[in-house]
Amino acid sequence: MQNKQSAGGQKDVRHRLMRWLVVVALLFGLLVGGAAGRLVLRDKASKDYDAQRQELAWQVQQSRADLDISRARVAALEGQLMVEESTRKGLESSLKAAQEELGRSLSQLAFFDQLLPPGPQGSVSIRAFDIERLGPALQYRVLLMRNSPDDTVFNGLMQFTAKGSLLGKTVKIPLQPAQRPRSGELLPASATPMPQANDLGVSFEQFQRSGGLLSLPEGFMPDTVTLNILEGNTVRVSRTVNLPAAE
């Protein structure tokens, strides 16, 4: 009986030990599984965090690049505005200077109009007068302008007078157009043929260009030439130019 009881007790102890071992194994498995799950979740969370951090870093980098581009555009616009402002100020300064010059010119024109009042055919001005030596003659070019309240034609006459030396004396003589060359005779290549010989008359409404040759007396050395524009017997405008010394 004692042996049976002793054997039954040992079986009970083994059963309880096995149960405890199973329980311990289950607990250990649960612990290991939980730790492994936590590791898996932690690894997934770490990867998600890294991906989000990289995405955020890329967005920050892109924002900085956009900001740099915007700053460059702002700087370019500021520079363009500075250039435009400088250009505008330069144009305003030029316009102001031109207006002042126009005012002075108008004042001078009014002064000369008082000295030489316009005739019934309006006022006439010499816009350009060039003259140069051409062999034994003088070549001239003239641009005349007329200011008239109506469309009437100005009819007048050009009168040339030269001042210079002749036979060691200072003299002042009128100049006449050079004669038209005879048939077969050629003018120098640089000479401008006159449309009408011995004709210094002018007839125009607003502008007229004239050019030709003036003859010089033999031995006469001109220093200055004066151009008068006559309306009848009245001098409407006059200009004098200096001639360079003969070579």
Side-chain angles (χ1 to χ4, degrees), residues 16 27 47 77 84 126 175 188 225 230:
R16 286 196 295 272
L27 291 175
K47 290 181 179 179
L77 290 175
E84 291 178 352
I126 301 173
L175 299 179
V225 175
L230 304 179

Side-chain angles (χ1 to χ4, degrees), residues 66-231:
D66 293 341
L67 180 60
D68 292 338
I69 294 174
S70 299
R71 286 175 176 172
R73 289 177 178 175
V74 170
L77 290 175
E78 289 178 348
Q80 184 177 358
L81 287 175
M82 291 178 64
V83 172
E84 291 178 352
E85 180 69 15
S86 176
T87 302
R88 183 182 63 82
K89 290 182 178 179
L91 292 176
E92 289 178 351
S93 177
S94 299
L95 177 60
K96 183 179 179 181
Q99 290 175 340
E100 293 176 352
E101 181 64 25
L102 177 60
R104 288 192 294 266
S105 298
L106 291 176
S107 297
Q108 293 176 358
L109 180 60
F111 173 75
F112 284 111
D113 283 343
Q114 292 177 356
L115 295 179
L116 299 173
Q121 299 188 43
S123 63
V124 177
S125 61
I126 301 173
R127 304 301 298 174
F129 177 32
D130 295 326
I131 193 163
E132 60 181 352
R133 300 176 190 273
L134 189 62
L138 295 177
Q139 183 179 27
Y140 69 90
R141 289 181 295 271
V142 178
L143 173 61
L144 303 177
M145 187 182 75
R146 175 172 173 262
N147 181 16
S148 176
D150 51 37
D151 294 332
T152 59
V153 177
F154 175 85
N155 294 295
L157 182 69
M158 293 188 297
Q159 181 187 72
F160 294 91
T161 305
K163 183 179 180 181
S165 60
L166 179 62
L167 301 177
K169 296 182 179 180
T170 300
V171 295
K172 185 176 182 181
I173 61 174
L175 299 179
Q176 299 299 328
Q179 296 294 328
R180 182 186 298 272
R182 294 185 299 274
S183 177
E185 183 180 355
L186 299 178
L187 287 174
S190 58
T192 301
M194 293 182 58
Q196 293 292 334
N198 300 321
D199 184 8
L200 294 178
V202 291
S203 180
F204 63 99
E205 293 181 1
Q206 294 181 340
F207 294 93
Q208 177 166 325
R209 292 183 177 87
S210 298
L213 295 174
L214 300 172
S215 62
L216 293 175
E218 186 177 355
F220 177 66
M221 301 297 294
D223 297 323
T224 63
V225 175
T226 300
L227 169 62
N228 297 324
I229 303 299
L230 304 179
E231 183 182 13

Side-chain angles (χ1 to χ4, degrees), residues 40-51:
V40 172
L41 292 175
R42 182 179 298 174
D43 182 64
K44 184 176 182 301
S46 177
K47 290 181 179 179
D48 292 341
Y49 170 77
D50 290 338

